[in-house]
């Protein structure tokens, strides 16, 4: 677990500024149509990411808050950035991680979780 991540700041920004979903689940990337998003994808309104655009976020179907992030390397654009994982189930986390690492010549992601995965599985099971 990365202790330096601003988890609470991200939670507050999402609660106060909201999220815009610009690529709904199962939609295609506007430029590379062979890329299909496995879950909702968008950005946190008004929060700038490392690439100069708003902070990216994958949005799942649970009520788990910010559960982690992926540190991605985009080989096409030649940049790195964070993509938050918000309200994701453990299965959705695995899905996003696989999606981001499907073609390592294009993009790679390294997963960082807020809490251990077994805690998240337990949280989901108690619902």
């Amino acid at each position: 677990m990365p202790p330096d991540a601003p988890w609470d700041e991200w939670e507050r920004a999402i609660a106060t500024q909201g999220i815009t979903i610009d690529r709904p689940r199962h939609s295609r990337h506007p430029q590379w149509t062979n890329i299909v998003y496995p879950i909702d994808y968008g950005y946190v309104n008004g929060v700038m990411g490392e690439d100069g655009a708003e902070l990216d976020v994958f949005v799942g179907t649970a009520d788990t808050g910010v559960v982690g992030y992926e540190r991605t390397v985009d080989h096409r654009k030649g940049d790195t950035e964070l993509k938050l994982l918000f309200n994701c189930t453990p299965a959705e986390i695995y899905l996003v991680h696989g999606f981001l690492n499907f073609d390592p010549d294009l993009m790679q992601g390294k997963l960082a979780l807020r809490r251990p995965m077994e805690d998240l599985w337990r949280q989901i099971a108690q619902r």
Side-chain angles (χ1 to χ4, degrees):
M1 293 180 297
D4 57 337
W7 305 110
D8 293 334
E9 288 178 36
W10 290 332
E11 293 272 356
R12 276 191 300 279
I14 289 169
T16 59
Q17 295 171 227
I19 292 172
T20 296
I21 301 298
D22 59 354
R23 298 184 189 157
R25 180 173 59 115
H26 299 154
S27 66
R28 295 183 181 278
H29 190 283
Q31 193 171 8
W32 296 283
T33 57
N34 62 324
I35 297 174
V36 178
Y37 288 85
I39 69 173
D40 289 343
Y41 179 74
Y43 54 88
V44 181
N45 299 321
V47 176
M48 299 311 287
E50 297 166 332
D51 63 349
E54 288 171 298
L55 181 62
D56 296 329
V57 60
F58 284 94
V59 180
T61 59
D63 184 23
T64 52
V66 177
V67 296
Y69 63 81
E70 289 269 356
R71 161 68 64 191
T72 62
V73 176
D74 186 326
H75 299 295
R76 283 181 295 226
K77 294 190 317 185
D79 71 2
T80 65
E81 62 181 299
L82 293 182
K83 297 179 184 301
L84 298 183
L85 301 168
F86 180 68
N87 281 347
C88 291
T89 66
E92 289 167 335
I93 293 169
Y94 291 135
L95 191 62
V96 168
H97 185 67
F99 170 73
L100 293 173
N101 287 282
F102 181 74
D103 187 345
D105 290 333
L106 299 176
M107 180 175 283
Q108 293 175 284
K110 183 172 181 180
L111 178 63
L113 293 173
R114 188 174 188 173
R115 289 180 279 287
M117 184 64 90
E118 60 266 16
D119 291 354
L120 188 54
W121 278 111
R122 198 171 11 262
Q123 179 183 355
I124 296 297
Q126 293 173 350
R127 294 174 192 255

